[in-house]
Amino acid sequence: MTESYIEVTGESSLIEQVTTYRADLSISVRATTTDNAITEAGALRDDCIRVLKSSGIAPDEMSEGGNAIWQPWFWKKNKPGQERTFKILLACAEAKRLYVALDALQPIFEHQRYTLSVSMRPPQFDAPEAERAAAHAAAIANARNAANIIATEAGVRLTFVSQVEALETQSEHSGAFGDQGWARAGIMRRMGGASDDDSEPAYLELEGARRVSMLRYRVRFGIAAVAPADRA
């Protein structure tokens, strides 16, 4: 016997806030020989790690991003040279602490052969578990409301949920660097500046960026004919 059912999609919104800011640090050194590039870049990388630690970045907020060495084609005719790049990955819960630590790196990159590039990666978002659970329940309730409207118009009644399928969550872009909705953005040489008091970077803290995620379920409800007494 073919099952009779009404299938609808229910959805609800969940507001999520940034919990972790992420950045890629690319540390590059140009030198005339491979050995010099390797040695200087390694020492510069270690200096960066020490500065980041002393500026408030915890060891577990840093991870290895690998390295590369290359010779640009346009150097071959004019002069010998190599460039080596190390990458350090940062993940920090507080934006201000991250920015202050990045600014602290600037003095060690004054040499013209040294380059620091910072690329902001998509931040991590989350919401309290109670709010997330309520949003899931609201999506199912939304599906039931829609199915009830259809059932009433069709002259049938809902019986039980025979199938539930979680659909892909659709999240709007928050607009924060790394989460603008187009190609990864935010290549920067310098970030921020100093206030009148050089010991206190000029960062006024703001609330973390937010995004709205739509939780969606496809729900199938079994149906049965309405008894004559119920139609009266």
Side-chain angles (χ1 to χ4, degrees), residues 204-225:
L204 298 178
E205 294 189 71
L206 298 173
E207 187 175 359
R210 294 185 177 189
R211 73 177 182 186
V212 177
S213 293
M214 300 303 297
L215 307 183
R216 303 185 302 142
Y217 286 94
R218 181 181 291 118
V219 186
R220 180 177 293 183
F221 295 90
I223 58 175

Side-chain angles (χ1 to χ4, degrees), residues 16-36:
E16 299 175 302
Q17 193 163 18
V18 173
T19 57
T20 304
Y21 296 88
R22 302 190 301 162
D24 293 355
L25 273 60
S26 294
I27 302 157
S28 301
V29 170
R30 298 191 309 274
T32 55
T33 67
T34 300
D35 288 344
N36 286 345

Side-chain angles (χ1 to χ4, degrees), residues 68 121 144 205:
R121 298 277 291 170
R144 181 175 291 278
E205 294 189 71

